[in-house]
Every structure is written in structure tokens, then in C-alpha cells.
Amino acid sequence: MIARATLVAIAALLVAQAVQAEDLYKPNGWAAMSTDRRATQVGDALTVVVYQSAEATNSAKSDSSKSTNLSGGLTAGSINESGALRVGGNYTGGGQVQRSERFVTQITVLVEEILPNGDLRIAGRQRMHVNGETSDIGVRGRVRQADITSDNQILSSRVADAQIDYDGRGFVSRSAKPGIINRVFRFLGLG
């Protein structure tokens, strides 16, 4: 009986050594109860609110005028002839270009790198297919952690070295481009 109790105790010790308890607390995985979850580590997601607006106006005007007068006369006996030649030209030209753009969207990006000063290098792409149109949106840049809001978002105007790409393909994009005839006329200066 003592031998059996000894064998059970040895078996219990061997099983206890093989089993390791796992700690439920992970120091990097828990935020304090009084803070919100924000992107701080490589692989964390962050929402960039892209609001870009640009407006430009360019105008030019030029005037030129030139006039040349030449006149002469001939008088000989009963012949009294005179003549005049006038050459002149005017040019007035002008042009104006106005352009206005506005782009609003949201895209979730990932933290790719934590820089030595604590800034985050972010990057992300999004592709959408809607009614035969394909839109690709890409955002890259550098973000200060202090600029990230409590709901884990940042405005695109707060992204340093921002590279925001937007490209669309499909029927609407193709029909917005001028046709070959219009491009030839424009190349020749006729359009």
C-alpha cells in the first residue's frame, strides 16, 4: 500500500512538471481601463479620414495693335492722282482655367513601422467594384501618435509625407475622356 501511494505521488509529480500554467495577463495586450484602444504597434489598424479639397484659378490676357500708313500722290499737268495704303492689325486674346477638386473617403491602414521618435509609418490600399467601375485608393505616410483621435482615426491633413492615390476604371471613367478626334483637333490647335 505504501508502494502504491509512493507510485501515485511520483506520477502526480511527473504530470505536474509536464503541465505548465499560462498567465492570463499579457502586458502588451491590455490597455488601461481609462483609455481607448489606439494604434500603437506594428500591425495595428488605423482609420484615415481623407478629406482633400483644392481650388485653383489661372487667367491670362494679352492685347496688341499695329497700324502702318503709307500715302503718296502724283501731280503732272492735268493728272492729279493720289493713293493711300493702310495696313493694320489688332489682336486681343485671353484665357482662363478654373479647377476645383474635392475627395472624401475613409480607409483603414496598418502600422508598418514605429520610427525612433515614436511616429508611426502607415500604409494601406482599398479596391472597390461598384456597377462595373473599379476604384483603387491608397494611403501612405507618417503619423504622430498624439494626432490619433480617441476613436482610432486621423485626418489626412495630419498625415506627414502623405501619398494619397485614387484611380478609377470603367465605363464612366472611359466616357469622361475625350475621344480620338477631339484629341487630334486639340493637338493641332483646332479644339
Side-chain angles (χ1 to χ4, degrees), residues 88-121:
N90 283 339
Y91 169 76
T92 302
Q96 183 173 6
V97 176
Q98 275 189 307
R99 184 176 178 155
S100 179
E101 296 177 350
R102 185 169 171 239
F103 181 58
V104 179
T105 190
Q106 289 186 13
I107 179 172
T108 300
V109 298
L110 296 178
V111 175
E112 289 188 329
E113 178 184 4
I114 300 173
L115 301 173
N117 68 345
D119 288 356
L120 308 175
R121 175 91 47 208

Side-chain angles (χ1 to χ4, degrees), residues 58-63 91-97:
N58 189 5
S59 62
K61 184 174 181 177
S62 63
D63 292 323
Y91 169 76
T92 302
Q96 183 173 6
V97 176

Side-chain angles (χ1 to χ4, degrees), residues 91-185:
Y91 169 76
T92 302
Q96 183 173 6
V97 176
Q98 275 189 307
R99 184 176 178 155
S100 179
E101 296 177 350
R102 185 169 171 239
F103 181 58
V104 179
T105 190
Q106 289 186 13
I107 179 172
T108 300
V109 298
L110 296 178
V111 175
E112 289 188 329
E113 178 184 4
I114 300 173
L115 301 173
N117 68 345
D119 288 356
L120 308 175
R121 175 91 47 208
I122 59 164
R125 297 201 69 72
Q126 177 178 313
R127 176 174 281 180
M128 293 181 291
H129 299 283
V130 179
N131 294 333
E133 289 288 316
T134 301
S135 297
D136 289 314
I137 303 167
V139 176
R140 298 182 65 81
R142 179 178 179 156
V143 172
R144 290 186 320 159
Q145 291 189 30
D147 292 334
I148 300 173
T149 63
S150 61
D151 55 349
N152 201 37
Q153 293 185 349
I154 189 163
L155 292 173
S156 61
S157 60
R158 305 298 292 174
V159 177
D161 302 327
Q163 296 175 2
I164 302 171
D165 302 317
Y166 178 73
D167 186 30
R169 289 179 300 282
F171 175 75
V172 174
S173 301
R174 281 192 306 273
S175 37
K177 293 180 183 175
I180 186 74
I181 294 173
N182 286 337
R183 286 186 278 175
V184 169
F185 282 162

